[in-house]
């Protein structure tokens, strides 16, 4: 699901409004093709919990990115230490 559409749907749901093509389109922060908007709205209507599951998967991706960044930083620190020893 397109992140801008997902955010717009989540915003509408949190306001207690029913997401429709018009209301979602009015909340978009970035241009989204109409077929993408309609597909995302259909997916939401078929499974409203999909928004929550996508949100949790995004959080796990963010944690994985941070873990990977931490490993890269640790390797860089080791390489810098080796270079300083040889200098």
């Amino acid at each position: 699901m397109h992140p801008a559409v997902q955010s717009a749907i989540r915003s509408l749901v949190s306001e207690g409004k029913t997401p429709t093509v018009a209301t979602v389109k009015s909340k978009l922060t970035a241009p989204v093709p109409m077929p993408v908007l309609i597909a995302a709205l259909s997916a939401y209507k078929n499974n409203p919990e999909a928004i929550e599951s996508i949100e949790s998967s995004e959080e796990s991706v963010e944690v994985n990115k941070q873990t990977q960044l931490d490993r890269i930083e640790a390797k860089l620190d080791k390489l810098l230490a080796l270079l300083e020893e040889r200098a």
Side-chain angles (χ1 to χ4, degrees), residues 3-87:
V5 177
Q6 178 186 350
S7 176
I9 291 172
R10 194 176 312 123
S11 173
L12 288 165
V13 170
S14 70
E15 293 172 9
K17 297 179 181 175
T18 303
T20 64
V21 172
T23 57
V24 171
K25 188 170 182 172
S26 71
K27 290 278 187 182
L28 290 176
T29 57
V32 176
M34 190 60 73
V36 173
L37 175 71
I38 293 170
L41 192 55
S42 293
Y44 168 75
K45 287 185 177 184
N46 289 333
N47 184 10
E49 288 104 30
I51 293 292
E52 295 168 13
S53 65
I54 290 172
E55 190 174 314
S56 63
S57 68
E58 286 178 351
E59 290 172 3
S60 67
V61 168
E62 186 64 33
V63 168
N64 288 341
K65 285 181 182 178
Q66 186 61 40
T67 303
Q68 184 179 15
L69 181 60
D70 291 341
R71 286 194 314 260
I72 292 170
E73 287 178 349
K75 288 180 182 180
L76 181 59
D77 289 340
K78 287 179 184 178
L79 287 171
L80 288 172
L82 286 172
L83 285 172
E84 288 176 358
E85 287 175 8
R86 293 183 180 187

